[in-house]
Amino acid sequence: GAVVSQHPSRVICKSGTSVKIECRSLDFQATTMFWYRQFPKQSLMLMATSNEGSKATYEQGVEKDKFLINHASLTLSTLTVTSAHPEDSSFYICSALRLAGGIYNEQFFGPGTRLTVL
Amino acid sequence: GIQVEQSPPDLILQEGANSTLRCNFSDSVNNLQWFHQNPWGQLINLFYIPSGTKQNGRLSATTVATERYSLLYISSSQTTDSGVYFCAVSNTNAGKSTFGDGTTLTVKP
């Protein structure tokens, strides 16, 4: 299977600071990556679609100025939580889309980043 | 958008038992994946199965696309099978998926 890494795995920060999370596809190129947020005992909520070389597409209700996404290469997307507040505390998960011979595409997930804002 | 319903929401089994998890979806799909989220939060790909049947060891899955459902079978369950099982579907070429609410499986020794 394909490997997706995410860094950091855990971060604790003070309210008002910004936090950057990196998502890398290690053994394949990913034109498209996704960023999700997951609250305890809930499903994954898609925040945005990250496309290499273009602006991210945000889901309804997600503030693009709050959650900055950059997809500068085919193997790296970053999510920056700007001016973090306690309500931003959550588990953030990225995934990378791998195309397979143009027949289908399959998502592979990073291990997640647990953000705690004090 | 497409709706995804998973059942049951919770399942408790004794080690060695078999189980069937279900995923219903409201529209035709061109992409369906099953994932297992372990206690540390990592989502592990189990099957890519928009149609047909696949097997991998003790796990197998069947998707009947015309009837808009997929089933995940777990045989001879082990305690390490515990976690949350998610079904995710897509009906676009962009790859964006909709997740079900998951089935939380607890396997007791």
Side-chain angles (χ1 to χ4, degrees), chain A:
Chain A
V3 180
V4 176
S5 71
Q6 203 172 323
H7 179 79
S9 58
R10 184 181 297 267
V11 59
I12 301 172
C13 68
K14 292 183 178 179
S15 186
T17 60
S18 293
V19 175
K20 179 186 282 190
I21 304 170
E22 293 186 349
C23 179
R24 294 180 186 273
S25 55
L26 298 184
D27 52 359
F28 66 100
Q29 293 183 330
T31 305
T32 302
M33 293 185 176
F34 301 100
W35 287 97
Y36 295 85
R37 183 172 182 177
Q38 186 179 32
F39 292 104
K41 299 191 183 301
Q42 292 188 21
S43 187
L44 280 72
M45 182 189 78
L46 180 66
M47 298 174 66
T49 302
S50 171
N51 296 300
E52 188 268 338
S54 65
K55 291 183 179 180
T57 304
Y58 291 83
E59 295 300 301
Q60 192 172 8
V62 178
E63 300 175 58
K64 62 180 182 180
D65 295 329
K66 173 76 171 173
F67 299 99
L68 300 179
I69 291 172
N70 185 290
H71 194 151
S73 78
L74 289 172
T75 59
L76 173 64
S77 175
T78 60
L79 168 69
T80 301
V81 183
T82 62
S83 187
H85 290 283
E87 57 267 28
D88 299 323
S89 298
S90 189
F91 190 55
Y92 292 88
I93 314 174
C94 73
S95 72
L97 201 60
R98 187 182 73 172
L99 294 174
I103 299 173
Y104 63 82
N105 48 58
E106 190 172 355
Q107 284 193 67
F108 291 88
F109 283 84
T113 297
R114 193 163 302 282
L115 171 64
T116 303
V117 185
L118 302 176

Side-chain angles (χ1 to χ4, degrees), chain A residues 97 105-106, chain B residues 29-33 48 50 88-92 95 97:
Chain A
L97 201 60
N105 48 58
E106 190 172 355
Chain B
V29 299
N30 57 13
N31 186 327
L32 188 148
Q33 289 185 255
Y48 171 88
V89 305
S90 173
N91 59 1
T92 72
S97 295

Side-chain angles (χ1 to χ4, degrees), chain B residues 18-23 32-35 45-49 51-63 70-77 81 85-86:
Chain B
N18 302 328
S19 61
T20 301
L21 283 58
R22 187 177 181 103
C23 172
L32 188 148
Q33 289 185 255
W34 282 97
F35 299 93
N45 290 39
L46 298 178
F47 294 102
Y48 171 88
I49 188 165
S51 64
T53 297
K54 290 185 178 179
Q55 181 164 1
N56 184 4
R58 295 182 297 104
L59 303 181
S60 63
T62 295
T63 297
S70 182
L71 302 174
L72 176 69
Y73 304 97
I74 304 174
S75 64
S76 304
S77 57
D81 294 333
Y85 289 80
F86 287 107

